[in-house]
Amino acid sequence: MALDYARDLLRTAAAGTTKGGLGAFRSELDRAQEQLATDPDGARAHVDAVLEALEQLGLPGSHSVDMLDVFFAQWRSYVTLREQRGALAGDPWHNAMLFIWTEDGEPPRENSLHILTCRLPGGDEPPFVLPTKLQKKTSQELLPWMTWRADQQPELQALQRPVTRYVALYVRGEQLCWDASPDYPLCDEAPDVRTLMLPPRRWGELAALPPGEAPRPTLPAPTHPSARPAMPAPSILDQDNVAIGSSTLLPHTFRAMRMPGRWMRPGNGNPPYYEELHEGVAEADRVKVLLHPSDGRSPLTPEQEAAAYEAVLGLDDDKVRAFAIALGSWFAGTGGGDAHMPKVTVTANALLEFQGVKRNKGAYRPAQKEKVANDVWALNSIFIRGPQVVYDARGRRKIVKVRSRLLEVAQEDETNLLGEDTPYAFRIAPGEWIKPLIEEGTRYVAVLLSPVLRYNPRQGVELIAMRIGLHLALHWRFRAAQGNFDQPWNMTTLLESTGIEIPTHREQRRRLIENFERAMDRLREDGVLASWEYVRLVMEVNPTAVFAEWITRTVRVMPPRAVTDQYAGIARRHRLEVAASKRRAPRQTV
């Protein structure tokens, strides 16, 4: 713990104006790391020397702490000991931290603090996604030790002395959850971390201190991401569904990212772009998706133009999925969308976790984090240009073309012991294109069931399931307004709209039929849709024309209860608005 604290102070010094001589301090800490297992006292001597030198440089000796600090400081110590001593055979993975005070004698002279680890059924498997918020509870929800122990049945060794007070910490999603004894001091509906610096007999003194002030001595602890300028996004890992903007704009953009071969490369300093031409759609009403390395409008050099087109060829379903997760995180973090467009923070671990990416020996590799960082930054280079309604100073309606980034991005890195930067988190917000979708009175928000974003886009059945699941989520809101959920989808339209290519080879066509039906069954099994069926069936199938007949079919897809419940009021409001508009319409005179 002291070693971690020293490294944190060193990073603080490197980020500020105090830079001279820091290389020697890093070397001292590296030596301490090497000696930690064989010579703990020698390692501590190296650490103490660095801390004393940093104190003489005028660095702060302590800073405020909270339960996140304590959890990670103590958990790192536990992991270090586990790595040094090894896990016992049959020893289960522990996922919770217990701070327990026990009676020392009869009568009790003082309570002793014990820090243990155990396994709780409600916690995530370690290692954890980094929590970004602390669970809130009222004092009425707290339980005595024996009651809590009976409910939780934690796996821990038998305790020899009675437990008088306790705090249990465990991670669920990106939230640090906790339980405590009824007489445990709380601060803002969370455990008061200052209790770890005082014996229980002095806890009464905490009420006289300001909430942000710690008693002496203060407990040094590592920094954590709770003080970022961007608000942390609530975890979407445990949610059954996420919200994303719903309009014809997003299907258009998703098709652009899925079909890089259909982008135009105009040259002459112009960025590559994707545009769909439809009969009856005027040029002023078309939406254009561009890829630009800087501001979306400056002329490109030949080298930049070539690099931009190379980036276009790298667009794929991974970028689509990363964007949907980022947008869902933003909606979750802003309570359904905020017209002020604040950024929210989502960690690289959370993106990988939500995508269902497997960890390597309990942790994500730097290469996996770099991959998700590349996907997120690719979204930052995409611009959307399309029509949008604005109003001038006199309130007159005007249609303009708005050009904005698909996703505004800033990245946070963490530095490892080798001095290498690894992506840690991203501060994200959608571009200005989202504003018409989140205005009061409209709120064009779609419900996207989370299993869709966990499908593997490199696997045939799951690729089709992910694309169709996204397509249905973006269109069910409009069908809710019309009350026509049961209207069949034309097979050709469904495939083209989702970017699923229609093959020419006979065997590939047979495989497409099989994968499509397996994908629809998978969506039904995962609760993404309630049912599906072919509506127009062929009575006598011609073996030589199976695909030609299948492609002309229609398919009826019914949404699950979660979607119909979410949109229950939309159809009713739509009918009322139509009726009101008819009453307001002037009568025709002849």
Side-chain angles (χ1 to χ4, degrees):
M1 183 173 174
L3 180 59
D4 293 329
Y5 177 53
R7 290 195 186 280
D8 288 333
L9 281 182
L10 199 58
R11 280 194 289 270
T12 301
T17 58
T18 307
K19 299 181 182 293
L22 297 186
F25 297 154
R26 293 192 184 94
S27 299
E28 286 289 310
L29 296 182
D30 289 341
R31 281 194 288 273
Q33 184 74 50
E34 295 171 357
Q35 292 180 331
L36 192 59
T38 58
D39 184 12
D41 293 334
R44 183 57 193 250
H46 285 294
V47 173
D48 289 341
V50 172
L51 289 176
E52 183 177 355
L54 291 177
E55 184 177 357
Q56 292 175 358
L57 289 175
L59 292 179
S62 63
H63 48 268
S64 61
V65 295
D66 65 11
M67 297 308 291
L68 283 173
D69 292 316
V70 174
F71 180 82
F72 282 104
Q74 295 292 351
W75 194 264
R76 277 196 295 268
S77 300
Y78 164 70
V79 171
T80 300
L81 290 174
R82 194 181 185 92
E83 290 174 349
Q84 292 174 2
R85 301 174 183 176
L88 299 177
D91 188 22
W93 276 106
H94 287 187
N95 64 356
M97 184 77 68
L98 276 178
F99 298 85
I100 297 177
W101 287 262
T102 62
E103 292 182 358
D104 274 355
E106 185 63 35
R109 298 184 301 273
E110 185 54 87
N111 291 149
S112 296
L113 171 63
H114 307 270
I115 302 175
L116 311 169
T117 62
C118 68
R119 181 175 179 82
L120 296 181
D124 288 351
E125 293 292 329
F128 314 104
V129 174
L130 184 67
T132 56
K133 63 178 181 178
L134 183 64
Q135 185 185 47
K136 300 296 183 182
K137 285 187 176 182
T138 62
S139 57
Q140 288 75 20
E141 298 174 83
L142 307 185
L143 298 174
W145 167 254
M146 295 306 296
T147 304
W148 179 84
R149 174 87 185 266
D151 291 344
Q152 295 290 334
Q153 297 180 344
E155 298 175 4
L156 70 151
Q157 298 176 351
L159 299 172
Q160 302 300 321
R161 298 185 179 93
V163 175
T164 59
R165 298 168 182 86
Y166 72 95
V167 175
L169 303 177
Y170 55 98
V171 176
R172 182 185 297 150
E174 289 189 3
Q175 179 167 269
L176 182 62
C177 302
W178 60 275
D179 294 293
S181 50
D183 57 345
Y184 198 92
L186 301 183
C187 181
D188 192 22
E189 299 182 337
D192 192 338
V193 69
R194 298 173 295 177
T195 55
L196 303 181
M197 294 172 266
L198 292 177
R201 60 181 171 80
R202 293 185 56 195
W203 283 359
E205 302 172 15
L206 299 177
L209 292 171
E213 183 177 334
R216 298 294 179 182
T218 54
L219 177 67
T223 57
H224 65 86
S226 62
R228 300 190 190 108
M231 67 180 74
S235 173
I236 60 175
L237 297 176
D238 298 325
Q239 297 182 13
D240 294 329
N241 58 69
V242 298
I244 61 175
S246 174
S247 72
T248 56
L249 181 66
L250 288 184
H252 181 103
T253 308
F254 289 163
R255 284 193 294 273
M257 287 191 277
R258 288 173 177 148
M259 296 183 284
R262 299 189 185 182
W263 283 59
M264 303 299 294
R265 187 177 181 180
N268 297 323
N270 295 305
Y273 69 90
Y274 174 91
E275 187 177 39
E276 295 177 359
L277 304 179
H278 299 286
E279 292 185 7
V281 179
E283 196 278 334
D285 296 329
R286 295 175 189 166
V287 175
K288 182 179 289 187
V289 182
L290 312 98
L291 197 146
H292 197 285
S294 59
D295 58 6
R297 56 180 298 275
S298 301
L300 303 180
T301 65
E303 294 76 16
Q304 288 175 324
E305 190 270 330
Y309 190 71
E310 190 69 24
V312 166
L313 298 179
L315 297 177
D316 54 18
D317 283 272
D318 279 335
K319 276 72 173 179
V320 173
R321 185 167 60 164
F323 174 60
I325 295 172
L327 191 56
S329 299
W330 184 79
F331 269 94
T334 57
D338 188 337
H340 294 94
M341 313 299 290
K343 282 189 171 71
V344 302
T345 298
V346 56
T347 64
N349 279 357
L351 284 168
L352 290 164
E353 183 89 1
F354 199 87
Q355 292 177 0
V357 178
K358 293 183 179 180
R359 298 173 185 260
N360 179 46
K361 296 182 180 179
Y364 290 118
R365 299 190 304 271
Q368 292 174 311
K369 295 182 180 181
E370 289 290 350
K371 169 63 170 62
V372 78
N374 291 338
D375 290 342
V376 171
W377 278 105
L379 303 171
N380 184 250
S381 299
I382 294 176
F383 289 78
I384 302 176
R385 182 174 181 266
Q388 199 170 98
V389 176
V390 298
Y391 296 88
D392 63 16
R394 298 183 180 181
R396 292 176 296 192
R397 187 174 184 269
K398 184 180 181 63
I399 296 179
V400 297
K401 287 185 179 179
V402 173
R403 184 190 308 238
S404 71
R405 289 189 189 275
L406 183 64
L407 193 70
E408 300 283 351
V409 178
Q411 180 171 319
E412 300 175 8
D413 294 324
E414 56 183 351
T415 305
N416 62 19
L417 296 177
L418 300 177
E420 301 168 334
D421 286 343
T422 303
Y424 168 72
F426 308 95
R427 304 174 187 177
I428 53 95
E432 293 288 324
W433 60 268
I434 196 76
K435 280 198 170 184
L437 308 183
I438 59 175
E439 291 175 350
E440 294 295 335
T442 55
R443 293 284 170 179
Y444 291 105
V445 179
V447 175
L448 175 61
L449 299 181
S450 57
V452 173
L453 298 176
R454 294 191 173 100
Y455 294 143
N456 183 357
R458 283 166 294 284
Q459 198 271 350
V461 172
E462 293 193 9
L463 169 64
I464 295 176
M466 187 181 76
R467 291 188 177 186
I468 292 178
L470 270 171
H471 180 80
L472 294 174
L474 294 172
H475 286 81
W476 266 331
R477 189 192 188 284
F478 299 110
R479 290 204 167 190
Q482 302 297 330
N484 61 345
F485 281 128
D486 59 348
Q487 179 180 334
W489 300 83
N490 183 285
M491 185 63 68
T492 304
T493 303
L494 189 59
L495 295 179
E496 291 178 350
S497 299
T498 53
I500 299 174
E501 295 186 5
I502 300 176
T504 56
H505 191 272
R506 182 175 179 178
E507 177 60 25
Q508 292 176 333
R509 288 182 166 185
R510 182 199 63 78
R511 191 177 297 117
L512 174 60
I513 296 175
E514 179 182 325
N515 287 346
F516 174 84
E517 293 176 348
R518 289 173 60 193
M520 298 300 285
D521 289 341
R522 176 69 180 273
L523 289 168
R524 181 185 60 205
E525 293 166 2
D526 291 344
V528 179
L529 53 89
S531 64
W532 77 276
E533 61 179 346
Y534 291 117
V535 178
R536 189 166 67 237
L537 298 175
V538 180
M539 301 304 296
E540 296 181 3
V541 177
N542 182 350
T544 63
V546 173
F547 188 82
E549 294 171 344
W550 178 81
I551 202 69
T552 63
R553 296 183 180 185
T554 58
V555 59
R556 178 181 292 119
V557 185
M558 296 302 295
R561 182 69 178 270
V563 172
T564 56
D565 288 350
Q566 183 77 14
Y567 294 148
I570 291 181
R572 182 173 63 255
R573 289 198 302 271
H574 179 76
R575 288 194 298 270
L576 293 174
E577 289 169 1
V578 171
S581 64
K582 288 181 178 179
R583 288 194 299 269
R584 290 193 299 267
R587 294 184 178 180
Q588 297 289 336
T589 56
V590 242

